[in-house]
Amino acid sequence: MSQRISNIPRRQAIPILYTRGTHYEVGYDVGRTFAAIIKNFLQLSGPLNETYLPLYNTEEGRKVYNATLESVKRSFPQYIRELEGTADGAQVEFHKLFLLHLDEILPVAVDGTNSINQPIGCSTICVNEPDCEILAHTEDALSEVLNHYYFVSAHIVSDSPQGKYNVIEERFTSLCYAGHLPGYTMNYNHHGLVFSINTLSARSLVSGKTPRHFITRALLSAENFIQAQQILRDNGVGAADGCSINMTFLRQEGDRLFHNAEMGPATVGADQSHLNIFTASPGESIIHANKYLRLPVPEMTGLIIDSSIERMKTFGGFQAPKTVHDVIRMLGDTSARDHAVFRESGPKDVIKTVCVGIFDCIKRTWTLYSDNPKFNAPLVVLPLTLREH
């Protein structure tokens, strides 16, 4: 059964759910609506079935799992309830979904090894020109993610302040991998924050910190750049693993600014994430893949780094992007010998570009391509709907 499911070719389809309620209710609606996709993904996920679940069933692995779960419950109990809702709605085990959010924390913390030595990761380009203000992103993932993602457009209203930042209301639209909380791919919220994520692979990860998936989920509540930095630093705990966040605020005063924040995990004894932020003013651009460019964090070696280096080399062969067409040519490029920017060459490819998104800050639109944007029309163009003042 799972073999037949995994051979479904790339679909020109992406479902979207509009939902409103408490954190649990929104999570439940996600799980109930996308139960089939979530169950299929849990069947197909190599890392979950071959690494995370076997480690979870060891004493040392369970310690890492429990310490991290308890830490997240203290900081963000509302997002645990949200994930519990998704598990209940989809009728799947909660621990499997939480293991997906732990990602490589478990194998690195237990064995000191990265279980996924694949050219995983995404590419992001921000252009900041007078007539072109865009944040564009390839969503690259293990091949089983292909056709296993969806949009969640949620409005969450709570009776009382939630979590360490006392959030009452959240409203956002996020591209989500099956069974995952919103926030870790491409996203925007009703305050005008637009952001995308590049996975980074730090060499040393510890239990009891905040997994990056929960930090980026919390980022969906940020009203401004100061709050965004506070969430990324995660004072009192710190990130358990690393990523790069590309962001802009549609309602900021003055010139358009794009930011790339490299977040490194909190080291043993530290109680906040390491953070380095580069800001692109008008006339400047940002290009980021899956390797630390500024923050001195020891990284895993392997294909994620090789792939990132080759994609950045490909980008370096282009002139600095000034238009949407420039960016489409770059993100749709397939010229590299081993690690192309847009990845699709065959059914046996372990990593695929599952979709490409372009946020236009002037038009206030989010354009999504389910195939190579160089050769295909967009599948959907969504308006960026912000809250009224």
Side-chain angles (χ1 to χ4, degrees):
M1 179 67 174
S2 64
Q3 183 61 35
R4 184 171 62 82
I5 295 168
S6 68
N7 286 334
I8 293 175
R10 182 186 292 271
R11 308 304 303 158
Q12 301 298 317
I14 176 169
I16 184 167
L17 170 68
Y18 295 94
T19 173
R20 180 172 60 214
T22 64
H23 285 277
Y24 180 86
E25 290 167 344
V26 163
Y28 186 90
D29 288 338
V30 170
R32 175 176 169 272
T33 303
F34 300 120
I37 297 176
I38 293 169
K39 287 175 180 174
N40 287 353
F41 182 69
L42 292 179
Q43 279 186 340
L44 294 172
S45 175
L48 175 67
N49 293 300
E50 296 163 19
T51 302
Y52 305 160
L53 281 170
L55 280 173
Y56 172 78
N57 289 320
T58 67
E59 183 179 356
E60 189 62 30
R62 193 67 62 90
K63 282 182 183 176
V64 172
Y65 176 96
N66 288 336
T68 307
L69 177 59
E70 289 309 311
S71 177
V72 177
K73 280 183 175 178
R74 286 191 293 272
S75 294
F76 302 114
Q78 74 271 35
Y79 302 141
I80 294 297
R81 288 197 300 276
E82 194 173 312
L83 197 60
E84 289 171 344
T86 300
D88 291 348
Q91 296 183 325
V92 299
E93 299 97 327
F94 170 83
H95 73 272
K96 290 184 178 180
L97 298 188
F98 192 72
L99 285 169
L100 293 176
H101 291 74
L102 283 182
D103 207 349
E104 290 298 281
I105 296 168
L106 202 55
V108 174
V110 173
D111 296 330
T113 58
N114 190 331
S115 72
I116 309 175
N117 183 22
Q118 298 295 345
I120 202 165
C122 310
S123 306
T124 301
I125 301 175
C126 301
V127 176
N128 197 358
E129 296 294 325
D131 55 352
C132 181
E133 301 172 358
I134 62 171
L135 188 157
H137 182 80
T138 64
E139 195 56 55
D140 301 341
L142 292 168
S143 58
E144 54 256 39
V145 175
L146 191 69
N147 307 317
H148 291 85
Y149 60 93
Y150 40 78
F151 280 118
V152 172
S153 186
H155 185 191
I156 301 172
V157 181
S158 304
D159 292 334
S160 58
Q162 299 291 304
K164 68 193 292 184
Y165 303 119
N166 297 312
V167 178
I168 294 264
E169 181 184 21
E170 293 185 76
R171 196 164 194 167
F172 56 79
T173 300
S174 175
L175 187 77
C176 302
Y177 293 168
H180 290 69
L181 288 171
Y184 198 68
T185 58
M186 296 178 262
N187 326 264
Y188 85 94
N189 72 13
H190 68 158
H191 301 297
L193 167 60
V194 171
F195 68 98
S196 72
I197 304 298
N198 313 115
T199 293
L200 300 174
S201 292
R203 190 185 304 160
S204 178
L205 308 179
V206 296
S207 63
K209 302 293 185 181
T210 309
R212 57 195 173 201
H213 283 70
F214 287 91
I215 288 180
T216 59
R217 173 64 188 85
L219 198 58
L220 283 168
S221 69
E223 297 184 25
N224 52 55
F225 188 44
I226 292 173
Q227 284 188 12
Q229 292 177 78
Q230 178 188 34
I231 290 167
L232 295 177
R233 285 203 174 88
D234 196 42
N235 284 318
V237 183
D241 41 4
C243 64
S244 151
I245 304 94
N246 312 277
M247 57 184 156
T248 190
F249 286 85
L250 298 178
R251 281 182 165 161
Q252 68 197 26
E253 295 181 4
D255 292 332
R256 163 73 46 217
L257 299 174
F258 289 94
H259 311 281
N260 172 263
E262 291 186 347
M263 182 180 75
T267 46
V268 176
D271 65 353
Q272 66 176 31
S273 317
H274 296 283
L275 204 60
N276 180 292
I277 297 177
F278 170 79
T279 296
S281 299
E284 298 179 318
S285 59
I286 291 173
I287 299 177
H288 211 288
N290 306 101
K291 186 179 188 307
Y292 284 101
L293 301 180
R294 304 178 307 275
L295 203 60
V297 173
E299 295 178 273
M300 285 289 183
T301 56
L303 291 174
I304 185 171
I305 301 300
D306 298 343
S307 167
S308 187
I309 290 170
E310 187 162 3
R311 279 178 283 138
M312 292 296 282
K313 183 179 179 182
T314 297
F315 292 143
F318 289 88
Q319 291 188 333
K322 303 288 186 184
T323 67
V324 173
H325 297 296
D326 292 342
V327 169
I328 287 175
R329 283 171 51 233
M330 294 169 74
L331 293 184
D333 189 273
T334 56
S335 64
R337 189 186 71 175
D338 295 319
H339 304 292
V341 176
F342 191 94
R343 292 181 259 191
E344 179 49 76
S345 58
K348 293 183 179 179
D349 283 353
V350 176
I351 301 298
K352 291 186 185 294
T353 300
V354 299
C355 60
V356 176
I358 299 177
F359 292 95
D360 189 315
C361 301
I362 296 174
K363 296 179 180 177
R364 293 195 175 178
T365 57
W366 181 2
T367 301
L368 196 96
Y369 298 82
S370 56
D371 214 325
N372 192 321
K374 279 178 68 173
F375 310 113
N376 296 276
L379 182 62
V380 64
V381 180
L382 297 174
L384 301 180
T385 306
L386 309 187
R387 74 181 298 168
E388 297 178 5
H389 288 293

